[in-house]
Amino acid sequence: MAISVTPLHPVFVAEVRGVDLTKSVDPAAFADIEAAFHQYGILVFPDQPVTDAQQVDFSAHFGPVITATRYHRDAPERRVPDNISDISNIGPDGNLMAADDDRRMHHKANELWHTDGTFKHVPARCSLLSARELPQVDGDTEFADMRAAYDALPEDRKREIDGLVVEHSIFHSREQIGFSGYTEAARAGLPPVNQVLVRTHPATGRKALYLASHITHVVGWPAEKGRRLIDELTAHATQPDFVYRHRWRANDLVLWDNRCSMHRARPYDDLRERRVMHRTTVSDEINSVERELPERAAG
Ligand code: OGA
Ligand code: MN
C-alpha cells in the first residue's frame, strides 16, 4: 500500500500514514518517505507503538544511528539502550526526578530553540522522537522551518550572512538557563566546534539558517555584534509563520531534519507528571564548514 502524506502547516511538516514502523520498511516505501522528508523537513507518524529496536531499525534507513552522549558520567545506569536518548523526567529508580537532578537541568535547556548535535564536529542529520508516556497538560514540541526563514530574509541580509562561520558549544545553551554542573571530563569530551551559519541541503539544494541556542559567537566578529545578529536571526526564524506546534498523542513518532529546522520543548509540570520520549539520532557525514566552506575549515 502506498503511503499517504498530508501537510500539517503551510510551509513544512506532514503527517505520514500507511506504513507500519513496527515492521521492516521496504525500499519502495522508504523512497516515498524520504522524498516526503526532503520536501517537508518534519514528518509525523501517528500510531507507531515501536520498541526501541524497531525505532533504531527505522532510523538506520537515514544513516548511522549514534550512541547517546553521557554528560553525567557518574550518574547511575541508563534506563534505555546506548543508542537511545532518554528524553524523560524519570530517574533510574523509575520515579520522577528531583528538582535539582542534574539530568533534569540538562534537559530543561531543550526549552530553548535549538538544533540537535550542532555542538559536535560532525553534527546530527536527523532525529526521531517517539512518545511513550505523555503528561495530561502541554509538553508539546515546537518546530521552526529554517528554509522558509532564510528565504524570507532581505537580499542584503542573505549576502551578509552567507559564508559566516559560528562556534557552538552544548555548555553555552546550558549556561543560559543557569546550569553549569558538568565534570571537566564531560567538558573536555565536547570542545566547541565551528559550523556554517547558512547551509545548503544536499538533497534539495535549498538554503537554510543553521541556528541553535548552542551558538557562542560569530567567528571573526566582535562578540556583541555577533550576539545581536544571532538573536535577530533567531527571532526572525521563530516567528509564528514559520512555526508548527506538535501536540503529542501516545505512539506518535516524529522525524525532523536538523539541517533545515529548529525545535524546542514546551514546559510541563515535570515535578508531578511523567513524560517519557525516546530519541534516536542519525549522524551527518561531515562537519558543515568542511562541507560547505572547505577553505575555512580548521586544520
Ligand atoms: C530532543 C528535544 C524536545 C521535547 O529530543 O532533541 O529537543 O519536546 N526534545 O522533548
Ligand atoms: Mn532537541
Side-chain angles (χ1 to χ4, degrees):
M1 183 182 133
I3 63 165
S4 75
V5 178
T6 311
L8 296 180
H9 182 279
V11 297
F12 70 146
V13 192
E15 182 171 274
V16 177
R17 293 186 183 267
V19 60
D20 181 353
L21 302 182
T22 69
K23 307 225 162 64
S24 74
V25 174
D26 65 58
F30 182 70
D32 291 348
I33 290 170
E34 194 175 37
F37 174 57
H38 291 149
Q39 182 174 352
Y40 292 100
I42 319 274
L43 296 180
V44 177
F45 298 86
D47 302 319
Q48 301 289 350
V50 289
T51 63
D52 290 334
Q54 290 161 348
Q55 182 173 343
V56 169
D57 282 351
F58 177 57
S59 304
H61 283 274
F62 295 91
V65 176
I66 66 169
T67 301
T69 310
R70 292 192 70 162
Y71 297 93
H72 307 287
R73 281 160 204 265
D74 43 1
E77 271 322 289
R78 296 168 53 88
R79 302 184 326 120
V80 297
D82 279 352
N83 47 16
I84 299 278
S85 295
D86 183 7
I87 310 295
S88 79
N89 58 337
I90 307 301
D93 60 1
N95 296 320
L96 296 177
M97 287 176 187
D100 62 351
D101 191 303
D102 281 354
R103 289 155 302 174
R104 172 174 185 261
M105 297 309 295
H106 180 81
H107 280 151
K108 269 270 165 210
N110 278 348
E111 292 173 19
L112 304 173
W113 281 109
H114 69 282
T115 306
D116 293 335
T118 58
F119 49 83
K120 294 186 175 169
H121 180 68
V122 176
R125 174 179 293 163
C126 59
S127 304
L128 300 92
L129 194 61
S130 157
R132 307 294 173 90
E133 291 183 58
L134 293 170
Q136 297 289 325
V137 181
D138 209 333
D140 298 344
T141 307
E142 287 180 312
F143 296 90
D145 187 342
M146 296 299 107
R147 310 166 303 183
Y150 178 83
D151 290 347
L153 288 171
E155 290 306 315
D156 57 341
R157 189 56 128 185
K158 289 180 184 165
R159 270 193 301 278
E160 183 189 17
I161 66 172
D162 276 350
L164 289 181
V165 172
V166 297
E167 185 195 84
H168 293 245
S169 166
I170 178 86
F171 305 110
H172 179 74
S173 49
R174 274 58 198 164
E175 272 154 27
Q176 289 175 63
I177 61 158
F179 180 61
S180 56
Y182 299 94
T183 61
E184 283 310 312
R187 288 175 189 278
L190 284 170
V193 302
N194 287 349
Q195 305 289 358
V196 293
L197 181 57
V198 176
R199 59 183 303 175
T200 303
H201 197 289
T204 63
R206 286 189 72 180
K207 286 188 174 183
L209 292 172
Y210 196 36
L211 294 168
S213 54
H214 314 307
I215 296 177
T216 61
H217 67 281
V218 177
V219 174
W221 278 29
E224 263 313 300
K225 183 179 172 204
R227 178 46 40 208
R228 260 199 318 278
L229 174 69
I230 298 305
D231 289 349
E232 256 175 61
L233 290 174
T234 303
H236 163 79
T238 57
Q239 56 187 290
D241 282 357
F242 308 137
V243 172
Y244 163 77
R245 181 173 187 141
H246 189 63
R247 299 186 164 81
W248 293 91
R249 299 149 299 188
N251 298 324
D252 276 351
L253 184 133
V254 176
L255 160 70
W256 63 85
D257 193 334
N258 286 303
R259 298 166 297 188
C260 58
S261 64
M262 276 208 288
H263 60 279
R264 69 171 174 183
R266 302 298 307 165
Y268 66 103
D269 192 357
D270 73 302
L271 295 176
R272 288 169 206 273
E273 288 211 86
R274 294 171 68 93
R275 182 176 188 264
V276 178
M277 317 291 275
H278 285 193
R279 193 185 82 206
T280 36
T281 315
V282 173
S283 180
D284 215 338
E285 54 210 357
I286 184 173
N287 171 269
S288 65
V289 183
E290 287 173 7
R291 182 172 183 280
E292 310 224 357
L293 299 171
E295 70 283 2
R296 297 277 313 269

